[in-house]
């Protein structure tokens, strides 16, 4: 990844019911900000995200789970190029495959996001590399 980037740029977008979501990224290799912006009818209704290194040493994925009071939970991640699939498993056992971008050449990373079903919360994020299970990341419960 380049040492610095000029501004945040949109790296992925999708829909969840009536909501439109966008993933934005910008910063430096050591402090890469990744933001999820949620819009309803073209109006921004929530934005949140995480910073820190693009990826921690020996890790393939950095993840974020969150929500606003009246919105469903969302999961967002940035990953090494070798990650081929990310699946969120909710606290009720529902599996949701995250939409995963191609490798973004500006960052040398892939970005991913998905909304969780109404009433379901964070669980674990399953990681696949080259189509094979690579482990999971357990979301800390708040």
């Amino acid at each position: 990844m380049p040492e610095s980037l000029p501004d945040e740029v949109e790296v992925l977008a999708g829909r969840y019911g009536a909501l439109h979501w966008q993933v934005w990224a910008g910063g430096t290799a050591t402090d890469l900000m990744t933001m999820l912006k949620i819009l309803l009818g073209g109006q921004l209704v929530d934005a949140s995200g995480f910073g820190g290194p693009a990826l921690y040493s020996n890790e393939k994925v950095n993840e974020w789970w969150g929500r606003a009071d009246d919105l469903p939970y969302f999961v967002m991640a940035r990953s090494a190029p070798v990650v081929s699939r990310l699946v969120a498993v909710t606290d009720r056992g529902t599996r949701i495959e995250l939409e995963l971008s191609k490798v973004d050449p500006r960052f040398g990373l892939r970005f991913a996001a998905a909304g969780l079903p109404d009433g379901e919360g964070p669980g674990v994020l399953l990681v696949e590399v080259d189509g094979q299970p690579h482990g999971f990341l357990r979301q800390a419960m708040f």
Side-chain angles (χ1 to χ4, degrees), residues 17-61:
L19 301 172
H20 176 78
W21 55 261
Q22 303 167 334
V23 177
W24 291 72
T28 67
T30 56
D31 189 17
L32 179 62
M33 190 63 192
T34 305
M35 295 287 300
L36 179 70
K37 297 179 181 183
I38 301 172
L39 299 102
L40 178 61
Q43 295 290 108
L44 183 67
V45 294
D46 193 31
S48 191
F50 64 106
L55 294 172
Y56 290 97
S57 296
N58 301 318
E59 295 292 328
K60 302 251 185 286
V61 177

Side-chain angles (χ1 to χ4, degrees), residues 1-135:
M1 185 174 126
E3 199 49 40
S4 67
L5 296 164
D7 291 311
E8 75 175 356
V9 292
E10 185 177 331
V11 294
L12 186 65
R15 294 199 71 79
Y16 178 81
L19 301 172
H20 176 78
W21 55 261
Q22 303 167 334
V23 177
W24 291 72
T28 67
T30 56
D31 189 17
L32 179 62
M33 190 63 192
T34 305
M35 295 287 300
L36 179 70
K37 297 179 181 183
I38 301 172
L39 299 102
L40 178 61
Q43 295 290 108
L44 183 67
V45 294
D46 193 31
S48 191
F50 64 106
L55 294 172
Y56 290 97
S57 296
N58 301 318
E59 295 292 328
K60 302 251 185 286
V61 177
N62 277 357
E63 67 177 311
W64 169 94
W65 304 65
R67 71 179 183 118
D69 290 338
D70 57 344
L71 296 174
Y73 272 99
F74 279 82
V75 58
M76 174 176 59
R78 52 188 186 232
S79 75
V82 297
V83 172
S84 54
R85 187 171 181 232
L86 294 169
V87 177
V89 181
T90 72
D91 58 348
R92 294 188 182 172
T94 305
R95 292 173 176 254
I96 297 98
E97 185 167 351
L98 278 67
E99 186 167 334
L100 187 61
S101 74
K102 294 182 181 194
V103 176
D104 188 308
R106 297 168 290 197
F107 302 96
L109 299 169
R110 299 181 83 179
F111 295 87
L116 303 186
D118 286 337
E120 298 192 36
V124 298
L125 186 64
L126 305 176
V127 179
E128 289 184 11
V129 172
D130 295 327
Q132 299 298 314
H134 184 72

